[in-house]
Amino acid sequence: MPASTEMIIEGLTVQVQRKPIKNLYIRVVPPDGQVRVSVPRRTSDARIRRFVAEKLDWVRYHQQQLRERPAVAPSANIYEDGAQVPLWGREVPLRVVDLPARARIRAGAAWLADEEVIELSVHEGAAPEVRTQVMNQFYQEEVRREGLPLLEKWAQVMGLSYNRVSVKTMKSRWGSCSTKRRNISLNSELAKKDPRALEMVVVHELVHLLEPSHNVRFKALMSQYLPDWQQVQRRLNGR
């Protein structure tokens, strides 16, 4: 096991690991931005301090990125008949329909708006993980159904184009944008939040096509398109 020590460098608490390697490496580790440095075993403390000092701007930039990244905690639900489950900022009753084990109907969930209920169809005796998987798929479809029109709308407003859009469950962010490939991802957990949160995340990711970082220009563009975006973001992050 590599030897690990702690050093205070330029006011930063740095975890140092000495390993059988040739070069020095530095990382800023989520979720709290801890700084970790891997160095060759015989590296002096003075060399480590110089190395970290040279990377100080890089470290602080990535720590700021982590602070501004929403902390996402997918909500845990027990999907039982009669439970109240979140959908677009409100609690909706869940109706579980048991399918015969031999039924050839694909398990699924549906939003029955006329009855204000979510209907979850699964085979009899299905494990809780199966119900969770089906509900996750349902939330993905909800975000896709609501999110794609919003992306088209705001892309036109901003005069932008994008390529592929994906919806998936993510643990550390509400959305992401690949500025080189112009691909956008949205978190399926957004289907549990207020619809304004989805719109804010859509605008957020599109703005990254204009400004990749979370700098002053990025914030100014966000305020230009959605003046209350910071309030929406705070509510989304539970702050």
Side-chain angles (χ1 to χ4, degrees):
M1 180 180 292
S4 179
T5 58
E6 187 174 281
M7 298 175 64
I8 305 297
I9 304 173
E10 299 285 341
L12 293 174
T13 301
V14 180
Q15 295 294 325
V16 179
Q17 284 193 328
R18 299 179 186 275
K19 301 179 178 181
I21 55 179
K22 294 182 178 180
N23 300 306
L24 288 77
Y25 301 95
I26 189 168
R27 291 184 296 155
V28 176
V29 183
D32 56 359
Q34 183 187 65
V35 182
R36 295 181 186 172
V37 176
S38 300
V39 302
R41 284 175 174 165
R42 296 182 181 274
T43 307
S44 67
D45 287 356
R47 175 71 184 95
I48 296 171
R49 291 181 182 279
R50 288 196 301 272
F51 175 72
V52 174
E54 291 167 0
K55 302 289 185 180
L56 199 58
D57 289 343
W58 181 90
V59 168
R60 287 176 173 162
Y61 168 78
H62 283 279
Q63 286 182 327
Q64 180 66 23
Q65 293 286 89
L66 286 175
R67 282 193 292 269
E68 294 181 351
R69 177 187 294 179
V72 182
S75 55
N77 287 288
I78 299 176
Y79 296 113
E80 297 179 347
D81 189 61
Q84 296 286 318
V85 295
L87 180 67
W88 299 122
R90 62 187 187 276
E91 296 294 315
V92 177
L94 181 70
R95 177 194 300 158
V96 177
V97 178
D98 289 328
L99 300 175
R102 296 181 180 179
R104 294 186 178 181
I105 303 172
R106 183 180 178 183
W111 164 230
L112 308 180
D114 292 341
E115 298 182 58
E116 287 285 315
V117 66
I118 296 174
E119 188 172 273
L120 172 63
S121 299
V122 290
H123 291 130
E124 292 176 347
E129 302 82 52
V130 174
R131 296 187 182 195
T132 298
Q133 182 181 12
V134 174
M135 286 299 297
N136 285 344
Q137 292 171 352
F138 166 72
Y139 284 127
Q140 287 175 11
E141 290 303 317
E142 280 293 296
V143 170
R144 186 172 287 108
R145 179 177 64 83
E146 296 291 335
L148 292 182
L150 282 172
L151 277 164
E152 293 177 8
K153 166 194 166 183
W154 281 105
Q156 289 182 1
V157 170
M158 299 180 193
L160 296 171
S161 63
Y162 55 88
N163 292 323
R164 188 171 62 88
V165 179
S166 61
V167 179
K168 53 190 176 182
T169 303
M170 294 183 277
K171 294 182 179 180
S172 62
R173 56 182 68 184
W174 294 110
S176 64
C177 176
S178 170
T179 55
K180 291 183 179 179
R181 298 182 179 180
R182 306 183 77 81
N183 294 334
I184 292 174
S185 296
L186 300 173
N187 194 336
S188 61
E189 291 286 301
L190 286 164
K192 302 175 183 179
K193 306 299 181 179
D194 187 284
R196 284 282 290 157
L198 174 62
E199 184 170 36
M200 185 275 295
V201 173
V202 164
V203 173
H204 182 116
E205 303 312 329
L206 286 172
V207 167
H208 273 313
L209 295 176
L210 300 172
E211 176 51 61
S213 65
H214 292 110
N215 59 14
V216 173
R217 180 170 180 258
F218 172 87
K219 294 177 181 177
L221 287 167
M222 285 296 298
S223 296
Q224 174 185 333
Y225 294 117
L226 283 181
D228 64 340
W229 71 276
Q230 290 178 310
Q231 293 95 312
V232 176
Q233 181 173 277
R234 282 195 292 269
R235 289 196 299 270
L236 175 60
N237 296 333
R239 298 172 184 169

